[in-house]
Amino acid sequence: MAKQMDYQTIHEIFRRFHAAEPEPKGELNHTNAYTLVVAVALSAQATDVGVNKATEELFKQVDTPQKMLDLGEEGLIEHIKTIGLYRQKAKNVMKTARILVEEYGGEVPSSRAALQSLPGVGRKTANVVLNMWWKVPAQAVDTHIFRVGNRTGICPGKDVDAVERAIEDNIPAEFQQHAHHWLILHGRYVCKARKPVCGNCLIRDICPYEDKQL
């Protein structure tokens, strides 16, 4: 784990990220808050590309919790059976749809606690929905952010909760809204786990990572 990076360096890193991509977007396709909840829940231990393929036809038919209940669990499985853990995910999606219809009037709640009370929705999923739909500067820490944060010292921590706090505590306020997207994209396409593409890295000159690749 790298030591916590200083404010000036972090500010310069996110200034560069912003200059390169002012409005980074999540890569999961969705049409509203409900389809975003479903897509993020399905993405656990699956790729965004795989989820998008599975939901392409699904979201043409289903964009509300009631429509999901009308489709039924077996109908949902037919759409998502290419995704890992699809049977358990289908059960959770159906349970969530029923709760949303019966307890929330068919609407997705906008608090972290309410979101996390839904089956299959953890803190990371809740933070994604809060950030992408309601524009709350919530930080969804995945394996990419955990790696980048600890490798560079931007937001080091022994677990995902500690990394989330490090982002909130150390990244300047003006960059908080898009911080997790910049870090995810950097980890996914540049600061990769096995072979980081340091030659194409925007922050190579100020990154303290000792094992930089030529």
Side-chain angles (χ1 to χ4, degrees):
M1 182 190 302
K3 69 177 182 178
Q4 177 63 58
M5 190 177 280
D6 65 87
Y7 175 86
Q8 287 79 10
T9 305
I10 293 175
H11 193 284
E12 174 59 18
I13 285 171
F14 282 90
R15 185 200 66 78
R16 294 183 189 183
F17 285 161
H18 179 271
E21 184 64 68
E23 295 287 334
K25 305 294 184 185
E27 297 183 325
L28 284 173
N29 294 336
H30 60 283
T31 58
N32 56 23
Y34 176 64
T35 55
L36 178 58
V37 169
V38 173
V40 180
L42 293 176
S43 71
Q45 300 182 47
T47 66
D48 289 359
V49 171
V51 172
N52 288 340
K53 287 181 180 178
T55 59
E56 183 176 2
E57 293 301 319
L58 173 66
F59 289 163
K60 291 178 182 178
Q61 302 174 38
V62 174
D63 59 2
T64 69
Q66 186 58 57
K67 289 180 181 178
M68 186 66 76
L69 293 176
D70 294 341
L71 177 66
E73 187 173 323
E74 291 305 315
L76 174 59
I77 285 174
E78 282 302 306
H79 286 281
I80 68 170
K81 60 187 178 182
T82 57
I83 300 174
L85 306 175
Y86 68 90
R87 290 195 180 277
Q88 184 58 50
K89 290 177 181 179
K91 290 183 185 298
N92 285 337
V93 168
M94 300 309 296
K95 289 178 183 177
T96 290
R98 187 162 300 283
I99 291 171
L100 291 176
V101 168
E102 294 179 353
E103 299 182 20
Y104 295 96
E107 300 293 328
V108 175
S110 58
S111 78
R112 183 182 287 115
L115 285 166
Q116 285 188 244
S117 73
L118 301 172
V121 177
R123 186 177 180 89
K124 185 182 78 170
T125 298
N127 282 348
V128 170
V129 176
L130 290 171
N131 182 284
M132 291 180 63
W133 194 257
W134 282 287
K135 309 305 179 185
V136 175
Q139 309 302 331
V141 178
D142 69 351
T143 56
H144 297 298
I145 294 180
F146 189 80
R147 178 177 67 255
V148 172
N150 281 292
R151 180 181 277 174
T152 64
I154 293 173
C155 47
K158 64 181 180 180
D159 54 36
V160 293
D161 291 337
V163 170
E164 183 180 332
R165 289 194 298 272
I167 294 173
E168 294 172 345
D169 290 347
N170 294 285
I171 293 176
E174 61 266 37
F175 302 120
Q176 286 275 334
Q177 180 63 51
H178 295 307
H180 91 274
H181 278 134
W182 281 315
L183 290 170
I184 286 172
L185 295 172
H186 190 64
R188 182 174 291 165
Y189 298 112
V190 180
C191 198
K192 301 178 182 181
R194 295 185 179 180
K195 293 184 178 181
V197 191
C198 297
N200 293 334
C201 179
L202 287 173
I203 63 171
R204 184 180 184 185
D205 59 313
I206 53 177
C207 173
Y209 182 48
E210 295 180 354
D211 297 325
K212 292 177 185 175
Q213 305 295 308
L214 297 177

